[in-house]
Amino acid sequence: MNNFLKMSDGANVMPLLLAIHRLEKSHGAWKEDTYLRDYPQGPFGDTDSIILRFPTRSNQETKDAIIGKIEGFDQHENHDQPVFKLLPEARQLIFTLMAFVNGERLGRCIINKIKSGGVIYPHCDGEEHANYWDRFHIVLSSSAGCNFRCGDEIVHMNQGEVWWFNNKVEHEVINNSADDRIHLVIDIRTSKP
């Protein structure tokens, strides 16, 4: 396989799943931030997200920075979102992975849930973003019938597995299982040759 690398299995994800369940009951966590789901023509219409870390979301600020109007703007800078403090169980998984891959910088961290029958539509991540970050998935929940395609390779990822994948290549997820598919998606800057 060229586009996927299974890095480990057996990660203890149950504390985070329980914390998410509790947070959903108390705060409606899955519906609190709909930025990705509602993004115009985005691939995430069937996806609920708990966004833990994310860059500045002002489109105009990003456009101004790209054309040089904001000196020193770093498009790769991500910020903790308020919900991140409410899920210390996610922090433990994220920073364990950071240490495991010898990470230099932490980027986006998002918990994504694709409902049964849902999809993440085919897309490639932006070239500059994909060249800068490595993309990792920690599988919190997934059942047989949920398939992740990247290029011409298709995998099913099981609960507790940790995967790297090549987000430069067109990818999609089709959840043909009877259950929600929940992944903790983490971008990490690593030393690259």
Side-chain angles (χ1 to χ4, degrees):
M1 274 196 214
N2 295 315
N3 296 317
F4 292 102
L5 175 64
K6 181 178 165 186
M7 299 175 55
S8 70
D9 55 19
N12 185 6
V13 298
M14 294 311 292
L16 179 54
L17 278 173
L18 178 59
I20 292 167
H21 177 73
R22 289 177 175 156
L23 193 61
E24 175 60 21
K25 285 188 166 248
S26 65
H27 288 83
W30 289 115
K31 302 295 183 192
E32 195 167 290
D33 190 335
T34 61
Y35 179 78
L36 290 177
R37 174 189 264 278
D38 296 340
Y39 196 82
Q41 289 88 39
F44 301 105
D46 289 341
T47 305
D48 289 325
S49 299
I50 299 172
I51 299 176
L52 304 174
R53 286 180 52 83
F54 208 74
T56 300
R57 298 189 201 185
S58 165
N59 287 335
Q60 188 57 51
E61 184 174 304
T62 303
K63 287 176 189 173
D64 288 349
I66 289 169
I67 60 174
K69 289 185 179 177
I70 301 176
E71 189 173 324
F73 181 83
D74 181 356
Q75 68 172 319
H76 298 298
E77 184 62 32
N78 286 264
H79 309 282
D80 289 358
Q81 303 301 300
V83 71
F84 200 21
K85 290 182 181 176
L86 301 176
L87 291 172
E89 300 82 358
R91 296 179 75 85
Q92 182 178 3
L93 290 168
I94 290 165
F95 288 108
T96 298
L97 179 60
M98 280 275 293
F100 184 77
V101 300
N102 208 15
E104 297 177 351
R105 186 177 190 186
L106 182 60
R108 295 177 185 180
C109 298
I110 303 170
I111 303 169
N112 283 329
K113 176 175 76 170
I114 306 170
K115 63 186 178 184
S116 174
V119 300
I120 293 178
Y121 294 95
H123 69 285
C124 298
D125 291 2
E127 185 176 349
E128 193 159 344
H129 180 85
N131 285 333
Y132 187 85
W133 299 103
D134 279 307
R135 171 73 47 87
F136 300 93
H137 281 239
I138 300 176
V139 183
L140 305 182
S141 179
S142 185
S143 297
C146 183
N147 294 314
F148 194 152
R149 179 188 66 81
C150 186
D152 60 357
E153 300 170 357
I154 298 174
V155 298
H156 169 71
M157 299 177 175
N158 293 304
Q159 184 177 57
E161 294 178 345
V162 179
W163 290 77
W164 167 90
F165 93 96
N166 185 358
N167 58 330
K168 296 175 194 172
V169 175
E170 183 184 81
H171 52 280
E172 68 180 325
V173 179
I174 301 173
N175 186 2
N176 285 325
S177 78
D179 302 306
D180 292 337
R181 179 254 204 193
I182 305 173
H183 282 203
L184 172 56
V185 180
I186 306 163
D187 286 346
I188 300 175
R189 174 76 172 171
T190 59
S191 297
K192 297 178 182 178

